[in-house]
Structures are given as C-alpha cells and as structure tokens.
Amino acid sequence: MNSKVYQSDFLVIGSGIAGLSFAIKASEFGTVHLVTKKKDSDSNTNYAQGGIASVLSPDDSIESHIADTLKTGVGLCNEDAVRFIVAEGPSRIFELSEWGTKFSMRKDLTGKEVFDLGREGGHSKNRIVHAQDLTGQELERALLEKISNLNNIIIFEDHTAVDLLTEHQLGLNNKNAQKTCYGAYIMENSTGDIHSFIAPVTMLATGGVGQIYQHTTNPDIATGDGIAMAYRAGALIADMEFIQFHPTSLYCEGSSGRSFLISEAVRGEGAILTTISGKRFMEGVHPMKELAPRDIVARTIDSELKKSGAKYVLLDISFKREAFLRNRFPAIFQKCLDEGIDISKEPIPVVPAAHYLCGGVITDRFGRSSIKNLFVSGESACTGVHGANRLASNSLLEGIVFSHSAIEYLRSHSGMIKAKKTMPKFPLWNKEGTFDLEEWILIQHNKEDVKRLMWDYVGIVRTNLRLQRAQRRIKFLAEEIYDYYRRSTLTLELVELRNLVTAAGLIIEGALHRKESRGLHYNTDFPETKEQYCANIILRTESSPLLKKHREIDIIW
Ligand code: FAD
Ligand code: SIN
C-alpha cells in the first residue's frame, strides 16, 4: 500500500451544497483539501428540484416561515436554530446569486425583476426560490464554477473518507475526555491506497442515508458515511428515527434504481392526488389538503395503497397548459414523457420513497459537533431545525446557513487554524486483508438485505414487533459485514456497506426508544404524541440512548 500524508488548513468531506459553500469561504483563510467519493457534482444537492425556502416577498414574514417550520417539526425543533436559519436565509440567497446561481425570475406588477417564488407542502406562503425544477443542478454548477477560480482549494474526486482521525488512532483512549478531530483516513478509490489527510479543522458534509432503503429518491452516494464515521469516533447523534418519505416519486413498473422525484412544487402549482379510480383523498384529511406536511401526505398515500391494493396513486396537473409545464418543470416533463406519460394530458402514477434524514450528528449554532475541531453541516448534521419532520426546501437552506456560521466562528477563532504546526503525528493506515470473490457476492446480497429490511420493517408505518425483528436482523447482518470489513482489502462498496448497516442500526435504535408517534415516526403500538417524549433520542457509542433536549446538550460543550 502506497500511503501518503496530505496536510492542509481545512479538510472538507463532501461536495454538496454544505461542503462546497464551506470550502469557498474557508479558502479565504487557508488551504482547503476537499475530498468527494465520486465525481464532484455527485450529491443529493445535484438532484434537488423544488428549491430553497426563504422569506423574499413583501407579503411574507420571518415569523410566518418560523411558525410553519415549528408546526411541521411537531414540538421537537430547536426554536433558536429555526429563528437563526430563517433570519439568515435572504442574505444567503443573495450571496448564491452573487456567486452566479441563476434562479428563476419573473417581473412583478411594476415591471421589476423578482424571484419567482414557488409553494410547497406545509408553507403558508410562496417562498421557494428555484431554478425551474433543476435547482440543485444549477447550485452545483455555480458553486463548482466559483471553486474552479479559487487557487486555495484542491478537489480530490473518487476519494472516500473511511474514518476520522482522533486520539483513538494515537492509542489514547480516555473515554471521559472530549475527543479532537485531526482529519481523516481517505481511500483513493482507483488504487485502494489509504492516505492520511491531516487538518486542524474538518468539515463533515457527507449528506444523507436514503440508500438504506429499497426505494429512495437519493442517488448512490447517500449511504450515511459521515454519520457512521462520527458515531464510531464518539460524536453524539440524534433524531435518527425521523426519516422523511417523500409522498410523490414516479412509479415505474419493475424499476429498481433511484426513484425519480416528482417535486412538491407540482402540488404547489395546484396538482391534486387521487386514487386510481379518481377519488380525491387528501380532502378531509388536513386543511391544507395536498399541501399538508409531507408526513401526513405520505402516510395517507400509504394507507390508500394498503386499503386498495393498488401499486400507485395518481397526481394530476394536466389542467395546466403544456407550455407552462414545459417551462416550469422541464426535467419532470421530459422524464415522464420518456416513461410514456404526457403530464399535460394525463395524471402521473406516484408512490412514496425514502427522501431525507432529519437526524444526524448533533451540532450547535456554529456547526460544531461534540468532537473538537469537527464541524458538520448539511444533511449529516442534526442542528435542531427540523425536529420530527422537515419543512419542504428547508434543507438546502440549513446547509448553506450552517456552513456560513461555521466560517463566522472560525473567523473569530483563527488560532484554531494556526494549530496546524502542532498537529500530532498519526500512524499510516496499516490494515491489510485479502479479497475473496465468493464473499463479494455475499456483500452484494447483504446490501440488498439491509435495504429490503429497512423498507419492510422500518418504513412509513412502524410497529414494535417489526422494529424488534429489524433490530435482531440488523445486528446479525452488522456482525457479518464488520467481519468482511476486518478481513478484506477495502473497496468503496465495502466502506459504504459498513456505514449503511451502522446507520440502519442507529435508525432502528432511535425508533425503538421513541415510545410515541411524532411527525415522521409513526408506530401503531404508540399512536399518541406524548409530552414526556418531546425530547431528542441521543445515541453515542458505548452507551444506551439518552432522552434529552438538544438545546441542553448544546450548552454542555
Ligand atoms: P449532499 O448534497 O448529499 O452531498 C454529500 C457529499 O458527500 C457528496 O458529494 C458525496 O459524494 C460526499 N460523500 C459522502 N460520503 C463520503 C465519503 N465517505 N467520502 C467522501 N465523500 C463522501 N432539499 C431542499 O431544500 N430543496 C429541494 O428542492 C430538495 N429537493 C430534493 C430532491 C431530491 C431528489 C433529493 C434526493 C433531495 C432533495 N432535497 C431538497 C434534499 C437536499 O437536496 C439535501 O438534503 C441536501 O442537498 C444535502 O446537502 P449536503 O451538502 O448535506 O449533502
Ligand atoms: C421537492 O421538490 O419536492 C423536494 C423538496 C425538498 O425535499 O425539500
């Protein structure tokens, strides 16, 4: 193995909105190594359709966005965190525009160019800034283009973070002392070589966990790597039971790949949901009907499918003109056409799919985790903004705001960056194993087993029995997978599988400890929402879960 040591002022892991925006700002203070496990734009960010929620219209207000976010989060949001991101939103949107992001614009009554603001579930106003239905692709383009003009940033594509570097690798294991992060072991995918990337500041921005589920809107990269790495290193993790299922992904017979999303913005433009026999089923369920918060719409669809035995429900926007639909939703229009559906003439068959993780590594107002010098931003973080359910289009906002506030913290603590000179000397990666082709097939099967298990037992509607079974089976699978991990030479697939099963275990653990139903976590054995459970389930290695308010934990470090 040809292991090298790379040293920089900042190590950024992940090239979605959280990682890229942090890197741009960090480059003002020093050198940045940004590693990403596939190509630079491979991320959940790249697939975002609806847009970014922010208060940008005169008939909207900060208080209204805050109220919608808190209501959707069912009592579990950290109100300070919500107030913070909502207030910061407009500045960050203008900054993205200045950096070259081309959002969709329109002319107001006076002829002035203004943001064309869309509407999504749970929002009482139009406040979604977007770039047609290709918002994420446009964001990635603009951020990567900006980075290409900055000398201080080196992007390492096809490089996978395997584990964080803490005192553990130095053989110092004082369980009671707060750990410090010094960078990460990073695998060069093409050779399997594992290098030490050392930096006084590490930003973990590895995104979500959608690939844990059989049906997901998330691309291949979303395997929970950052959360699993941080958990192994001893960071506090919370709210893992709150998995958001998007109500409307395109139903394709026999398809096994990523589920194509039909943006909530389509319902924001008036689309209605019906059963295959044409009954409009959201009326009477929630006053906002099709624009009710996502947990409610997804659960209602799930229940309609179970009642009728149908494979999908229908989403109808065909009353809108073709020219409008082609311009507002070019990607959705074309994808549906490729599948033989003309959305200007017929309804779209849709089903729910795993979409977003509300929980993750606990962070504070500045993106700091419970491990010193380890910042976390974006979908991997649990900032307290989403509580038990995320309001639509609040996640891109959360990523860009907390990456910014991490920089603001570092601006006033520049001594942290200077600490580079006194970094400890870490041992080079020394794990050796042998690759066994026969076992490789088992690895593939294990991945499918995890995905099916999570879909069937830890999905939209949960029961105690299913969760307990899931826990027993995931423990068994985890043992097998950790054993391959120890004995084999590393590949991207094996690194991901180890993280996938760890994150799946954390989701089950969180779900089993929540003895109520709240937001995205619905357990038919505990159908009520209970006041004593209005707290976060916090997980950490070598301890049983804690039930505590995230805010109290913020104060602890
Ligand atoms: P990501 O964008 O997922 O980026 C993570 C990065 O980390 C990737 O580059 C990945 O390759 C890298 N990575 C992962 N593991 C490793 C590792 N071990 N080593 C190195 N690199 C690693 N949210 C909204 O607010 N509005 C929307 O309209 C919207 N639409 C969505 C549509 C779809 C189809 C999906 C899937 C999500 C949508 N979301 C939306 C959610 C939102 O896109 C994500 O929550 C957000 O983009 C997450 O950004 P991030 O930077 O945290 O992570
Ligand atoms: C969508 O466009 O429906 C996705 C928005 C989100 O996930 O916030």
Side-chain angles (χ1 to χ4, degrees):
M1 175 153 317
N2 182 17
S3 297
K4 296 182 205 141
V5 178
Y6 292 88
Q7 195 141 6
S8 60
D9 296 310
F10 301 91
L11 170 63
V12 181
I13 309 176
S15 55
I17 191 166
L20 295 179
S21 62
F22 179 86
I24 289 171
K25 293 182 177 192
S27 69
E28 201 190 307
F29 303 101
T31 52
V32 181
H33 285 160
L34 188 150
V35 298
T36 188
K37 68 179 170 181
K38 294 205 169 159
K39 296 297 161 217
D40 54 12
S41 64
D42 284 329
S43 59
N44 272 7
T45 301
N46 200 44
Y47 292 89
Q49 292 183 354
I52 312 181
S54 193
V55 177
L56 291 157
S57 121
D59 75 338
D60 196 2
S61 71
I62 297 284
E63 285 308 316
S64 163
H65 189 180
I66 292 169
D68 290 344
T69 305
L70 294 177
K71 194 167 169 197
T72 303
V74 204
L76 212 55
C77 301
N78 176 342
E79 190 172 335
D80 295 341
V82 174
R83 290 195 164 274
F84 176 60
I85 69 152
V86 171
E88 278 283 313
S91 312
R92 302 283 69 79
I93 298 290
F94 289 122
E95 185 173 62
L96 285 170
S97 290
E98 276 162 28
W99 286 352
T101 313
K102 293 187 178 68
F103 291 115
S104 297
M105 306 297 281
R106 66 174 178 84
K107 291 226 162 58
D108 71 5
L109 292 174
T110 65
K112 197 176 125 205
E113 280 244 304
V114 291
F115 290 112
D116 177 37
L117 299 173
R119 181 82 168 259
E120 286 181 18
H123 288 276
S124 53
K125 294 283 177 192
N126 279 34
R127 62 168 74 102
I128 317 297
V129 190
H130 59 95
Q132 296 176 300
D133 60 356
L134 292 156
T135 310
Q137 201 174 300
E138 174 56 12
L139 284 168
E140 285 281 323
R141 182 204 62 74
L143 295 174
L144 285 167
E145 206 167 295
K146 176 140 183 87
I147 285 184
S148 68
N149 294 315
L150 297 172
N151 293 331
N152 254 354
I153 306 177
I154 303 176
I155 297 189
F156 294 79
E157 290 182 312
D158 299 305
H159 278 65
T160 304
V162 177
D163 265 316
L164 296 171
L165 290 169
T166 66
E167 288 77 5
H168 178 78
Q169 281 83 10
L170 296 170
L172 304 169
N173 270 328
N174 179 353
K175 276 188 202 154
N176 300 320
Q178 186 187 17
K179 285 197 180 153
T180 304
C181 179
Y182 300 98
Y185 282 130
I186 307 282
M187 179 174 70
E188 192 174 337
N189 298 352
S190 59
T191 59
D193 290 337
I194 297 188
H195 309 301
S196 310
F197 278 66
I198 313 280
V201 174
T202 299
M203 167 52 84
L204 193 63
T206 49
V209 301
Q211 282 296 324
I212 285 179
Y213 284 90
Q214 196 172 9
H215 304 288
T216 178
T217 61
N218 290 194
D220 289 351
I221 55 96
T223 51
D225 295 4
I227 296 165
M229 280 191 281
Y231 177 71
R232 283 194 292 274
L236 297 177
I237 313 286
D239 292 358
M240 292 297 287
E241 64 276 27
F242 298 118
I243 299 289
Q244 186 169 71
F245 290 81
H246 197 291
T248 57
S249 76
L250 180 63
Y251 172 81
C252 296
E253 186 76 49
S255 148
S256 60
R258 187 181 75 85
S259 306
F260 182 82
L261 183 74
I262 305 294
S263 174
E264 211 156 272
V266 176
R267 275 174 282 139
E269 294 292 348
I272 58 160
L273 282 163
T274 72
T275 61
I276 44 176
S277 51
K279 188 182 125 222
R280 192 171 170 190
F281 55 83
M282 283 309 295
E283 280 181 329
V285 173
H286 191 277
M288 292 177 92
K289 301 176 195 165
E290 277 80 2
L291 285 177
R294 260 178 216 173
D295 57 330
I296 295 166
V297 184
R299 242 185 343 263
T300 311
I301 295 177
D302 186 65
S303 147
E304 285 296 332
L305 295 178
K306 282 183 179 139
K307 267 193 278 182
S308 65
K311 289 183 177 161
Y312 51 81
V313 295
L314 297 172
L315 181 69
D316 196 0
I317 187 81
S318 63
F319 54 87
K320 288 274 188 188
R321 281 180 304 112
E322 180 179 335
F324 169 82
L325 293 172
R326 278 188 186 274
N327 178 51
R328 175 67 181 86
F329 302 115
I332 294 172
F333 196 98
Q334 192 53 51
K335 172 69 186 178
C336 289
L337 215 52
D338 294 346
E339 297 295 330
I341 305 154
D342 179 344
I343 68 171
S344 67
K345 296 194 171 56
E346 57 198 314
I348 311 165
V350 291
V351 284
H355 183 63
Y356 182 82
L357 169 70
C358 291
V361 183
I362 293 188
T363 53
D364 70 0
R365 153 91 164 68
F366 301 107
R368 290 179 304 170
S369 72
S370 57
I371 296 182
K372 237 167 118 183
N373 301 353
L374 177 68
F375 292 74
V376 187
S377 178
E379 199 166 332
S380 306
C382 179
T383 61
V385 162
H386 309 307
N389 187 16
R390 174 179 67 102
L391 182 66
S393 286
N394 263 357
S395 50
L396 292 170
L397 177 66
E398 182 194 39
I400 189 96
V401 167
F402 280 99
S403 287
H404 173 77
S405 68
I407 291 291
E408 288 309 298
Y409 179 84
L410 292 164
R411 193 187 296 282
S412 52
H413 294 79
S414 54
M416 273 176 77
I417 305 160
K418 294 191 189 110
K420 191 168 107 179
K421 295 190 187 80
T422 57
M423 297 289 278
K425 203 167 161 29
F426 277 87
L428 291 176
W429 179 268
N430 67 357
K431 186 179 158 302
E432 290 291 344
T434 49
F435 192 74
D436 183 328
L437 194 58
E438 206 182 319
E439 289 185 1
W440 172 239
I441 290 158
L442 295 179
I443 288 169
Q444 288 289 57
H445 285 179
N446 273 347
K447 185 171 180 183
E448 283 156 26
D449 287 349
V450 173
K451 287 164 82 81
R452 209 173 313 113
L453 175 83
M454 293 301 285
W455 185 258
D456 289 342
Y457 293 172
V458 200
I460 299 174
V461 175
R462 300 160 181 182
T463 68
N464 286 345
L465 188 70
R466 280 191 228 157
L467 289 175
Q468 282 153 3
R469 279 199 184 155
Q471 191 184 42
R472 278 200 298 276
R473 290 178 192 193
I474 214 77
K475 275 187 175 158
F476 176 74
L477 280 167
E479 268 168 35
E480 270 190 11
I481 291 165
Y482 296 157
D483 184 52
Y484 300 147
Y485 181 83
R486 276 189 293 272
R487 290 191 292 117
S488 309
T489 46
L490 292 195
T491 60
L492 173 61
E493 290 76 9
L494 189 49
V495 169
E496 287 184 332
L497 183 60
R498 176 192 186 218
N499 294 326
L500 203 77
V501 77
T502 303
L506 292 173
I507 295 169
I508 297 169
E509 198 71 19
L512 268 170
H513 282 84
R514 187 162 287 286
K515 312 275 185 223
E516 62 159 0
S517 289
R518 183 183 296 271
L520 297 164
H521 173 74
Y522 188 75
N523 182 338
T524 56
D525 292 313
F526 301 115
E528 314 272 300
T529 303
K530 295 183 192 152
E531 195 40 45
Q532 77 260 35
Y533 270 93
C534 191
N536 310 93
I537 298 195
I538 296 168
L539 306 163
R540 62 177 170 207
T541 47
E542 299 166 28
S543 90
S544 53
L546 305 171
L547 189 67
K548 250 181 183 297
K549 270 281 184 201
H550 184 169
R551 209 173 328 189
E552 292 169 30
I553 297 286
D554 284 353
I555 295 159
I556 287 173
W557 62 77

